[in-house]
Amino acid sequence: MSRASRMTRAEFEERLFGVLRWVVILFLALITIVPFSYMLLLSLKPIDALLLDPGRLWISAREFTFATYESVLKPTSEGGQGFLGMLLNSALVAVATVLLTLAAAVPGAYAVSRLKFFGNRQVGALFLAVYLFPATLLAVPLFVMFAKMGLSGSLVGLAVVYIAQTVPVSIYMLKNYFVTIPYSIEEAAAIDGASRLQTVRKIILPLALPTLMATGLYVFMIAWNEFLFALLFLAADPGKWTVSLGLQQLANGIEVSKTVLMAGSVVLTIPVVALFFAAEKMLAEGLTAGADKG
């Protein structure tokens, strides 16, 4: 095959994949943005307008209302759904889970990537093997164990359960980045008199900040959206419900309008979306860190 022919094929493939890339991006954008936009639209409509024309994809200025959000966020004592308190509960659990997970995962990932011990090559697979067990299989034993410890109805117990779920995969994610950091950096720090702990705190962690952000956001989303363990641990105490549990109860409510349900869904989604866009650059760096060990 001639050089000109090869160049023609290369140009054809480059143009084809260039078009396919934008087709895939457009498709993913549509299946993501359109449902969320429709959900947001419904949350700003009065129920009367929705019932009259449920398929209409726009909203007039006369119909525009925030009453649904007021109903969702207002305390139950005032006739609302109490989502403001649930948001606070979810935030406390999610932030505590992120901080404690990273506190456990950083030294664990560093040890797996740097220290030599028997089976250190297989330990990463063992961490991921935790996810072979479905959450429903672990739910009842964990509930019984935490009930005996007096933590079955507390946010602390729920956070501990989330930490047990997120630490293994967090160690795996961080390990893949730590192995890309050259040993020479730590050797230079040791020559300057830095201890291993000082090296981790002053050199490794600043270098790994994008990966820490990506891992932290991943853990936050798990803790924020999780439903099964929240239902199992907190169902008996509505004052401690998280927002995912509250949204499910809202969906099951016979007297709750769909516009209020959509407002609750938006309230659940917005914090994660806001965090994602706030940390977008560091998140992209963190997700690709460790992909190339060259």
Side-chain angles (χ1 to χ4, degrees), residues 46 59-65:
I59 182 171
S60 66
R62 181 175 55 84
E63 296 171 340
F64 190 88
T65 179

Side-chain angles (χ1 to χ4, degrees), residues 139-265:
V140 174
L142 284 173
F143 178 78
V144 172
M145 182 177 66
F146 278 75
K148 292 182 178 180
M149 297 170 58
L151 296 174
S152 60
S154 70
L155 297 177
V156 174
L158 186 62
V160 172
V161 171
Y162 291 165
I163 293 167
Q165 286 186 305
T166 55
V167 163
V169 72
S170 298
I171 290 177
Y172 186 82
M173 292 173 67
L174 292 173
K175 175 191 73 89
N176 288 338
Y177 178 77
F178 287 162
V179 295
T180 66
I181 300 177
Y183 282 100
S184 58
I185 295 178
E186 297 185 49
E187 291 172 351
I191 293 175
D192 290 337
S195 65
R196 189 180 292 272
L197 182 60
Q198 290 175 325
T199 301
V200 171
R201 182 168 58 87
K202 295 182 179 181
I203 297 176
I204 302 299
L205 291 184
L207 289 174
L209 187 58
T211 302
L212 290 174
M213 290 288 295
T215 305
L217 184 56
Y218 171 77
V219 173
F220 183 90
M221 288 190 294
I222 290 178
W224 184 267
N225 295 315
E226 201 279 331
F227 171 74
L228 175 62
F229 288 104
L231 175 64
L232 192 64
F233 278 70
L234 305 175
D237 189 353
K240 295 180 181 178
W241 282 2
T242 58
V243 70
S244 60
L245 181 56
L247 183 63
Q248 179 62 32
Q249 299 302 316
L250 198 64
N252 293 333
I254 299 177
E255 299 179 357
V256 177
S257 68
K258 296 306 178 184
T259 55
V260 174
L261 176 61
M262 292 301 101
S265 301

Side-chain angles (χ1 to χ4, degrees), residues 56-101:
R56 184 154 52 92
L57 298 180
W58 68 89
I59 182 171
S60 66
R62 181 175 55 84
E63 296 171 340
F64 190 88
T65 179
F66 283 108
T68 50
Y69 288 93
E70 293 177 6
S71 176
V72 164
L73 297 174
K74 191 183 301 182
T76 54
S77 60
E78 300 178 12
Q81 303 300 329
F83 264 50
L84 191 60
M86 295 177 195
L87 285 170
L88 179 59
N89 292 338
S90 291
L92 290 174
V93 172
V95 171
T97 301
V98 170
L99 294 178
L100 294 176
T101 295

Side-chain angles (χ1 to χ4, degrees), residues 10-164:
E11 292 175 356
F12 171 77
E13 291 178 349
E14 182 179 357
R15 292 180 180 180
L16 175 63
F17 286 112
V19 172
L20 289 177
R21 180 185 64 178
W22 285 108
V23 170
V24 172
I25 292 175
L26 180 61
F27 173 73
L28 294 176
L30 285 175
I31 64 175
T32 302
I33 297 174
V34 171
F36 181 79
S37 300
Y38 187 59
M39 179 176 69
L40 181 61
L41 175 70
L42 293 183
S43 71
L44 296 171
K45 272 188 176 184
I47 187 62
D48 296 340
L50 177 62
L51 294 176
L52 287 174
D53 191 359
R56 184 154 52 92
L57 298 180
W58 68 89
I59 182 171
S60 66
R62 181 175 55 84
E63 296 171 340
F64 190 88
T65 179
F66 283 108
T68 50
Y69 288 93
E70 293 177 6
S71 176
V72 164
L73 297 174
K74 191 183 301 182
T76 54
S77 60
E78 300 178 12
Q81 303 300 329
F83 264 50
L84 191 60
M86 295 177 195
L87 285 170
L88 179 59
N89 292 338
S90 291
L92 290 174
V93 172
V95 171
T97 301
V98 170
L99 294 178
L100 294 176
T101 295
L102 291 180
V106 167
Y110 181 82
V112 172
S113 63
R114 285 294 191 260
L115 305 182
K116 302 299 180 182
F117 56 88
F118 177 76
N120 67 327
R121 291 186 177 181
Q122 291 76 30
V123 72
L126 291 177
F127 284 134
L128 292 183
V130 173
Y131 290 89
L132 294 176
F133 299 94
T136 52
L137 184 66
L138 303 174
V140 174
L142 284 173
F143 178 78
V144 172
M145 182 177 66
F146 278 75
K148 292 182 178 180
M149 297 170 58
L151 296 174
S152 60
S154 70
L155 297 177
V156 174
L158 186 62
V160 172
V161 171
Y162 291 165
I163 293 167

